[in-house]
Amino acid sequence: MELSGLKNDTLQAWVPFDDDTEVLIAYVSREDLRELRKQATSLKFLKHQKSEETDAKEADRLLGRKGVKNWRALPGRPGFTMGGEVFGYSPENCDFLMERFNEFANFVNEAAIDFSKFVEEAKEQD
């Protein structure tokens, strides 16, 4: 497997989410994941004992912000809609989906760290 793409901090690929929508996903490295976890973790002191507590909701929000760059409808399809209206990409809409739509959050968690998807995309573009 060609690994030179790991040196590129801007690896992105359009990845199909469902029959209607594809999502522009940015590769999130292990280093990035550690930093996101650190940002979502706070120190608590209980009875003079230090402990770390990770806010799962904040961790998901941060991963969505780091990994999701856009989404769009596939040709001839509606894409994401809410109440019959197009539900376009924005960081706030991404936060909403990461919090409320388990399938989307799971998709982002898997797709953003799957380097092979980015290698495939690079081959298709060449």
Side-chain angles (χ1 to χ4, degrees), residues 21-33:
T21 311
E22 61 184 356
V23 181
L24 182 59
I25 298 287
Y27 177 66
V28 179
S29 68
R30 289 186 56 80
E31 180 181 344
D32 293 333
L33 287 173

Side-chain angles (χ1 to χ4, degrees), residues 55-97:
D55 181 342
K57 182 178 173 181
E58 179 67 1
D60 280 349
R61 186 187 75 76
L62 291 169
L63 180 60
R65 293 276 178 118
K66 180 79 173 175
V68 177
K69 299 304 179 189
N70 201 351
W71 58 66
R72 64 185 178 196
L74 291 169
R77 307 300 296 187
F80 288 140
T81 60
M82 184 175 287
E85 299 291 322
V86 172
F87 190 71
Y89 172 79
S90 72
E92 295 77 19
N93 286 349
C94 184
D95 293 347
F96 178 80
L97 292 185

